[in-house]
Amino acid sequence: MRFLLTLIAFVPLALSAQSASPDTLYFAPGSDQLSPEARKAIPRIAAWLRQHPAATIYIDGHTDPTGSDSLNGELGVGRATVVWAQLQPLLPKDVNATLTGMGAHRPLTRDPKQYRLNRRVEIRIEAAAPAAAAATTPPPVELSTFRRDVPLQQFPIDLSDTVRVRGAGGTFFMIPPGALQDKTGQLARGAAMLLLREYYRPDEILLAGLNSNSEQGLLQSGGMFYFTVVQGADTLSEQTRKPVDVRMPVRYPELTGMSVYTLAAAGGGAGPLAGGGVSDSGMLQRAWRPTMRPFRVSRPYWDWPRVEWAAEIERPSNETLAKLAPGAVITSEAAPPNPLIRLNRKPRPAARSLTMQVRKVSDTSLSVRYEVKMRRRGLRRFGTRERDTLIRVPQRQAEYVGQTSTLNWINCDRFYNYPDKADLYVQTPGFKGAEVLAYFPSVHAFMPAEFFGDRYGFRSVPRGMKVVLVAMGKKGEAVYWGRSDVHIVQGLVAEVKLGTLPASDIDAALGALE
């Protein structure tokens, strides 16, 4: 048997006798705060709930269609949260609530003059089903793990020289000669391959099943990646002889004071690069650990690429380039009589003249043209009298700059300290075996759920914070996923409803997290 109690939101208009009731709760438009009259009605509602005991109370917050979907969803959750916060102390301790922000998706009326009827909270309870009816309930759908990893990037490198590599997501490495060794401790030299996976967006982290948990607690993540180096069929040692310089893009400027965290793959294997994905590495059972190495934040800079034969000509200063309008050109010439060009790493006079033309394409890009006329020595070295080379110089925005002595998982994090904690539980009605993850968008943190028999749980999460709950799994070729946005209060049992979704649409579904 199902009971429904509708709580109409307050507007400063007289309500008809038909819509008004002794237990109506009133809200101001756009507000989630109860009026004094509504607070007086809470004890009567609690008494009604005690008379109709149920294991779970479903509280749905509704709004009118004014405002965006995201704002209406948050407002609906806020109204439901306020109602539950007032009701919970008056109910038995074993009573839980599922709070849902419905926004404006289930209106009672589409008449703008009656929008007050849409600004409401609905409380639903379900009595225990009779034994005969319970026998007809279909068994839950058994799901297996669904994961989608980011593309594997491969970079040919030469370990006999300084290695400089930048990934598609902006991760930069500089590996000095003599920094790497094989698993027997011998110095690694010669041709090798650097393998890299980058995880910066929330959807990339969630779809890979990653998290930002540490032994000390929840971490705020600025991004993470996995990298290693292989020679032939052998993977080099995780431990380096010299530190490797690392740069990571700053996606969230408010995250400062970050540190380098690492996470070795379970069993000491090659992590997600050997087995084809994160789901094969077993790393999710382990926590990130600090390395005591900080990440500092750099200022934006122009990333001039290395040109093997580039002459020693002075580049424009950052101040000069900042004043330069897009489309403007600066031309520089090397001072006579002997412009220098590097040959075999030693300066030798080989150029008769050198001109460098810098054009500012945009505020974040330069086009640089080198024009060189060679002397005889340069002609013998390069096989040409003239060289005309065009290069692009991008401007890099602020980056996290640090070092690591481990070729494995790297996470850019800081510890998030929140003294006000609560436990959060999640149900996935009709499904079993789904993977449930929590994303805290205000602090950029990720947490996996634990499974407690008939439901999932998150221990000691930040009370009062908005959390995005994502559940996903697959059965055969069918992919199931669901999402629910809630605000955390003590004793909350959230509900994530799963449905089928084409695998090609999951990226778009999770891409709206930011």
Side-chain angles (χ1 to χ4, degrees):
M1 182 179 299
R2 176 172 294 185
F3 299 90
L4 176 66
L5 176 64
T6 301
L7 298 86
I8 307 301
F10 169 76
V11 291
L13 298 173
L15 298 178
S16 67
Q18 210 173 25
S19 60
S21 73
D23 295 332
T24 300
L25 298 185
Y26 296 95
F27 292 88
S31 173
D32 60 3
Q33 299 300 310
L34 290 173
S35 67
E37 292 78 8
R39 292 180 183 276
K40 294 178 182 179
I42 289 292
R44 293 194 297 271
I45 298 174
W48 181 85
L49 291 171
R50 289 194 297 269
Q51 292 171 2
H52 302 83
T56 301
I57 302 171
Y58 298 90
I59 304 179
D60 301 333
H62 300 260
T63 69
D64 61 35
T66 58
S68 65
D69 285 347
S70 61
L71 291 178
N72 284 336
E74 291 186 10
L75 180 57
V77 170
R79 288 173 175 171
T81 302
V82 167
V83 172
W84 175 239
Q86 296 294 319
L87 287 173
Q88 185 187 18
L90 306 178
L91 299 174
K93 293 184 179 180
D94 59 345
V95 174
N96 296 307
T98 295
L99 312 184
T100 306
M102 306 303 297
H105 295 294
R106 294 184 182 176
L108 295 180
T109 177
R110 298 188 184 278
D111 182 0
K113 295 181 180 180
Q114 300 294 322
Y115 275 173
R116 65 181 183 276
L117 300 178
N118 294 336
R119 296 187 285 266
R120 70 193 189 280
V121 169
E122 292 181 348
I123 298 180
R124 297 176 289 117
I125 61 174
E126 293 185 2
T136 64
T137 303
V141 178
E142 290 278 354
L143 299 180
S144 59
T145 301
F146 171 77
R147 297 278 171 75
R148 174 173 293 169
D149 212 347
V150 298
L152 173 64
Q153 303 173 53
Q154 305 183 56
F155 302 91
I157 58 176
D158 183 2
L159 297 179
S160 301
D161 198 357
T162 300
V163 173
R164 293 179 175 85
V165 169
R166 186 175 293 274
T171 311
F172 175 81
F173 307 95
M174 187 173 70
I175 306 175
L180 306 187
Q181 59 187 352
D182 61 24
K183 292 184 177 179
T184 66
Q186 298 298 312
L187 184 65
R189 294 186 178 276
M193 188 74 71
L194 187 147
L195 308 179
L196 170 68
R197 292 189 194 268
E198 301 170 285
Y199 309 85
Y200 287 105
R201 301 196 314 266
D203 59 304
E204 294 172 338
I205 295 173
L206 289 172
L207 280 175
L210 298 170
N211 63 73
S212 58
N213 271 344
S214 74
E215 296 175 353
Q216 293 77 32
L218 192 62
L219 301 174
Q220 296 180 261
S221 179
M224 56 190 77
F225 62 86
Y226 183 95
F227 79 125
T228 193
V229 177
V230 298
Q231 279 190 317
D234 298 326
T235 301
L236 297 186
S237 171
E238 293 180 2
Q239 300 303 315
T240 66
R241 292 188 172 191
K242 300 177 183 178
V244 174
D245 292 335
V246 175
R247 289 176 174 261
M248 301 175 67
V250 176
R251 290 180 56 85
Y252 310 109
E254 68 272 20
L255 294 185
T256 58
M258 309 294 275
S259 298
V260 179
Y261 282 73
T262 62
L263 177 65
L273 304 182
V278 173
S279 58
D280 299 319
S281 69
M283 56 75 64
L284 296 176
Q285 301 174 1
R286 309 186 68 176
W288 295 97
R289 60 173 184 265
T291 64
M292 306 308 293
R293 292 182 182 270
F295 270 117
R296 65 178 179 85
V297 178
S298 72
R299 295 181 178 180
Y301 65 96
W302 293 100
D303 189 8
W304 291 80
R306 297 180 66 195
V307 180
E308 179 185 358
W309 51 269
E312 298 295 332
I313 186 169
E314 186 176 358
R315 300 167 180 168
S317 65
N318 290 335
E319 291 76 13
T320 300
L321 293 174
K323 297 177 182 178
L324 201 64
V329 176
I330 297 177
T331 301
S332 303
E333 295 184 2
N338 291 321
L340 299 181
I341 194 164
R342 291 189 179 277
L343 294 176
N344 299 326
R345 301 181 184 176
K346 294 182 179 180
R348 302 283 181 84
R352 181 180 296 112
S353 65
L354 168 67
T355 302
M356 181 176 66
Q357 187 182 73
V358 180
R359 183 170 72 90
K360 191 172 185 180
V361 179
S362 67
D363 289 336
T364 59
S365 179
L366 304 176
S367 176
V368 181
R369 181 181 297 277
Y370 288 97
E371 296 178 352
V372 184
K373 293 183 179 180
M374 301 294 180
R375 298 179 183 274
R376 292 182 180 178
R377 181 180 290 106
L379 176 62
R380 291 195 300 269
R381 170 67 174 82
F382 295 104
T384 181
R385 289 186 179 276
E386 298 182 358
R387 295 200 70 156
D388 187 343
T389 301
L390 184 66
I391 63 174
R392 177 181 174 273
V393 179
Q395 187 185 56
R396 304 295 179 188
Q397 298 305 308
E399 293 179 325
Y400 296 117
V401 181
Q403 290 185 324
T404 177
S405 297
T406 302
L407 301 185
N408 210 292
W409 285 97
I410 302 296
N411 200 347
C412 177
D413 295 283
R414 70 180 183 187
F415 176 64
Y416 180 56
N417 183 24
Y418 50 98
D420 195 8
K421 302 178 182 180
D423 293 335
L424 169 65
Y425 298 96
V426 181
Q427 294 176 334
T428 54
F431 293 90
K432 185 177 181 180
E435 182 173 32
V436 179
L437 298 159
Y439 170 51
F440 303 87
S442 61
V443 296
H444 314 293
F446 305 84
M447 181 181 287
E450 302 176 63
F451 190 65
F452 301 100
D454 62 339
R455 59 185 179 180
Y456 302 86
F458 298 89
R459 298 183 184 275
S460 300
V461 293
R463 187 199 301 264
M465 184 175 292
K466 176 186 174 182
V467 58
V468 179
L469 300 172
V470 175
M472 53 189 176
K474 66 179 180 179
K475 184 176 180 61
E477 297 299 321
V479 176
Y480 293 83
W481 101 288
R483 168 182 173 176
S484 180
D485 296 11
V486 301
H487 281 76
I488 301 169
V489 295
Q490 182 62 41
L492 173 64
V493 178
E495 188 175 275
V496 181
K497 297 180 180 179
L498 284 84
T500 57
L501 187 71
S504 58
D505 293 345
I506 288 185
D507 292 326
L510 286 177
L513 290 177
E514 287 190 296

